mmCIF file of all heavy atoms in Angstrom:
data_model
loop_
_atom_site.group_PDB
_atom_site.id
_atom_site.type_symbol
_atom_site.label_atom_id
_atom_site.label_comp_id
_atom_site.label_asym_id
_atom_site.label_seq_id
_atom_site.Cartn_x
_atom_site.Cartn_y
_atom_site.Cartn_z
ATOM 1 N N LEU A 355 84.727 24.642 -68.951
ATOM 2 C CA LEU A 355 85.081 23.814 -70.105
ATOM 3 C C LEU A 355 85.682 22.480 -69.658
ATOM 4 O O LEU A 355 86.659 22.455 -68.910
ATOM 5 C CB LEU A 355 86.068 24.566 -71.020
ATOM 6 C CG LEU A 355 86.319 23.951 -72.400
ATOM 7 C CD1 LEU A 355 85.023 23.891 -73.202
ATOM 8 C CD2 LEU A 355 87.373 24.773 -73.144
ATOM 9 N N ASN A 356 85.048 21.376 -70.090
ATOM 10 C CA ASN A 356 85.552 20.025 -69.802
ATOM 11 C C ASN A 356 86.281 19.519 -71.050
ATOM 12 O O ASN A 356 85.736 19.580 -72.163
ATOM 13 C CB ASN A 356 84.393 19.085 -69.450
ATOM 14 C CG ASN A 356 83.768 19.398 -68.112
ATOM 15 O OD1 ASN A 356 84.050 18.736 -67.125
ATOM 16 N ND2 ASN A 356 82.909 20.424 -68.052
ATOM 17 N N HIS A 357 87.498 18.961 -70.849
ATOM 18 C CA HIS A 357 88.337 18.581 -71.991
ATOM 19 C C HIS A 357 88.054 17.162 -72.487
ATOM 20 O O HIS A 357 88.954 16.436 -72.898
ATOM 21 C CB HIS A 357 89.816 18.737 -71.621
ATOM 22 C CG HIS A 357 90.204 20.175 -71.423
ATOM 23 N ND1 HIS A 357 90.522 21.021 -72.453
ATOM 24 C CD2 HIS A 357 90.273 20.912 -70.287
ATOM 25 C CE1 HIS A 357 90.793 22.214 -71.979
ATOM 26 N NE2 HIS A 357 90.653 22.177 -70.653
ATOM 27 N N LYS A 358 86.782 16.765 -72.410
ATOM 28 C CA LYS A 358 86.367 15.496 -72.999
ATOM 29 C C LYS A 358 84.914 15.653 -73.445
ATOM 30 O O LYS A 358 84.154 16.442 -72.882
ATOM 31 C CB LYS A 358 86.516 14.341 -72.014
ATOM 32 C CG LYS A 358 85.776 14.527 -70.705
ATOM 33 C CD LYS A 358 86.048 13.371 -69.757
ATOM 34 C CE LYS A 358 85.358 13.603 -68.401
ATOM 35 N NZ LYS A 358 85.576 12.484 -67.482
ATOM 36 N N LYS A 359 84.554 14.899 -74.443
ATOM 37 C CA LYS A 359 83.216 14.980 -74.990
ATOM 38 C C LYS A 359 82.298 13.995 -74.285
ATOM 39 O O LYS A 359 82.476 12.780 -74.380
ATOM 40 C CB LYS A 359 83.249 14.697 -76.505
ATOM 41 C CG LYS A 359 81.869 14.708 -77.176
ATOM 42 C CD LYS A 359 81.224 16.066 -77.047
ATOM 43 C CE LYS A 359 79.803 16.055 -77.617
ATOM 44 N NZ LYS A 359 79.112 17.327 -77.397
ATOM 45 N N GLU A 360 81.369 14.491 -73.521
ATOM 46 C CA GLU A 360 80.349 13.656 -72.880
ATOM 47 C C GLU A 360 78.973 14.195 -73.300
ATOM 48 O O GLU A 360 78.842 15.325 -73.776
ATOM 49 C CB GLU A 360 80.493 13.688 -71.358
ATOM 50 C CG GLU A 360 81.837 13.180 -70.856
ATOM 51 C CD GLU A 360 82.010 11.682 -71.035
ATOM 52 O OE1 GLU A 360 81.047 11.027 -71.482
ATOM 53 O OE2 GLU A 360 83.106 11.166 -70.738
ATOM 54 N N ARG A 361 77.939 13.364 -73.025
ATOM 55 C CA ARG A 361 76.623 13.754 -73.518
ATOM 56 C C ARG A 361 75.857 14.694 -72.580
ATOM 57 O O ARG A 361 75.015 15.472 -73.008
ATOM 58 C CB ARG A 361 75.768 12.501 -73.732
ATOM 59 C CG ARG A 361 76.254 11.626 -74.877
ATOM 60 C CD ARG A 361 75.323 10.473 -75.078
ATOM 61 N NE ARG A 361 76.078 9.258 -75.408
ATOM 62 C CZ ARG A 361 75.602 8.048 -75.404
ATOM 63 N NH1 ARG A 361 74.371 7.842 -75.031
ATOM 64 N NH2 ARG A 361 76.339 7.019 -75.728
ATOM 65 N N ARG A 362 76.115 14.626 -71.261
ATOM 66 C CA ARG A 362 75.315 15.410 -70.309
ATOM 67 C C ARG A 362 76.216 16.145 -69.316
ATOM 68 O O ARG A 362 77.395 15.839 -69.198
ATOM 69 C CB ARG A 362 74.351 14.497 -69.537
ATOM 70 C CG ARG A 362 73.271 13.898 -70.442
ATOM 71 C CD ARG A 362 72.248 13.179 -69.612
ATOM 72 N NE ARG A 362 71.207 12.547 -70.434
ATOM 73 C CZ ARG A 362 70.245 11.806 -69.963
ATOM 74 N NH1 ARG A 362 70.156 11.572 -68.661
ATOM 75 N NH2 ARG A 362 69.346 11.269 -70.764
ATOM 76 N N CYS A 363 75.566 17.105 -68.535
ATOM 77 C CA CYS A 363 76.264 17.888 -67.504
ATOM 78 C C CYS A 363 75.605 17.658 -66.151
ATOM 79 O O CYS A 363 74.376 17.563 -66.047
ATOM 80 C CB CYS A 363 76.220 19.381 -67.837
ATOM 81 S SG CYS A 363 77.237 19.865 -69.240
ATOM 82 N N CYS A 364 76.455 17.572 -65.113
ATOM 83 C CA CYS A 364 75.986 17.515 -63.717
ATOM 84 C C CYS A 364 76.672 18.679 -63.014
ATOM 85 O O CYS A 364 77.835 18.593 -62.617
ATOM 86 C CB CYS A 364 76.337 16.184 -63.076
ATOM 87 S SG CYS A 364 75.637 15.993 -61.396
ATOM 88 N N GLY A 365 75.963 19.806 -62.924
ATOM 89 C CA GLY A 365 76.606 21.023 -62.424
ATOM 90 C C GLY A 365 77.613 21.496 -63.448
ATOM 91 O O GLY A 365 77.287 21.753 -64.603
ATOM 92 N N THR A 366 78.879 21.593 -63.059
ATOM 93 C CA THR A 366 79.944 22.049 -63.974
ATOM 94 C C THR A 366 80.747 20.874 -64.552
ATOM 95 O O THR A 366 81.734 21.086 -65.261
ATOM 96 C CB THR A 366 80.906 22.993 -63.240
ATOM 97 O OG1 THR A 366 81.480 22.317 -62.110
ATOM 98 C CG2 THR A 366 80.183 24.253 -62.752
ATOM 99 N N VAL A 367 80.332 19.621 -64.261
ATOM 100 C CA VAL A 367 81.082 18.429 -64.680
ATOM 101 C C VAL A 367 80.327 17.692 -65.791
ATOM 102 O O VAL A 367 79.122 17.442 -65.660
ATOM 103 C CB VAL A 367 81.325 17.474 -63.483
ATOM 104 C CG1 VAL A 367 82.132 16.255 -63.934
ATOM 105 C CG2 VAL A 367 82.050 18.210 -62.363
ATOM 106 N N ALA A 368 81.045 17.291 -66.849
ATOM 107 C CA ALA A 368 80.456 16.497 -67.917
ATOM 108 C C ALA A 368 80.554 15.003 -67.545
ATOM 109 O O ALA A 368 81.547 14.563 -66.970
ATOM 110 C CB ALA A 368 81.185 16.747 -69.232
ATOM 111 N N TYR A 369 79.502 14.207 -67.885
ATOM 112 C CA TYR A 369 79.507 12.776 -67.517
ATOM 113 C C TYR A 369 78.728 11.969 -68.535
ATOM 114 O O TYR A 369 77.935 12.515 -69.320
ATOM 115 C CB TYR A 369 78.948 12.574 -66.105
ATOM 116 C CG TYR A 369 77.438 12.681 -66.015
ATOM 117 C CD1 TYR A 369 76.645 11.546 -65.939
ATOM 118 C CD2 TYR A 369 76.817 13.932 -66.012
ATOM 119 C CE1 TYR A 369 75.260 11.647 -65.851
ATOM 120 C CE2 TYR A 369 75.444 14.041 -65.916
ATOM 121 C CZ TYR A 369 74.660 12.895 -65.837
ATOM 122 O OH TYR A 369 73.301 12.982 -65.745
ATOM 123 N N ASN A 370 78.929 10.643 -68.464
ATOM 124 C CA ASN A 370 78.237 9.688 -69.333
ATOM 125 C C ASN A 370 77.090 9.061 -68.542
ATOM 126 O O ASN A 370 77.317 8.342 -67.546
ATOM 127 C CB ASN A 370 79.198 8.604 -69.822
ATOM 128 C CG ASN A 370 78.578 7.742 -70.923
ATOM 129 O OD1 ASN A 370 77.363 7.586 -70.989
ATOM 130 N ND2 ASN A 370 79.428 7.168 -71.771
ATOM 131 N N SER A 371 75.847 9.319 -68.929
ATOM 132 C CA SER A 371 74.687 8.842 -68.203
ATOM 133 C C SER A 371 74.498 7.330 -68.277
ATOM 134 O O SER A 371 73.690 6.772 -67.548
ATOM 135 C CB SER A 371 73.419 9.546 -68.728
ATOM 136 O OG SER A 371 73.270 9.276 -70.113
#
Side-chain angles (χ1 to χ4, degrees):
L355 192 61
N356 290 259
H357 292 277
K358 56 183 177 179
K359 178 62 184 175
E360 300 290 355
R361 291 183 218 167
R362 293 188 182 176
C363 289
C364 186
T366 59
V367 181
Y369 76 102
N370 190 333
S371 59

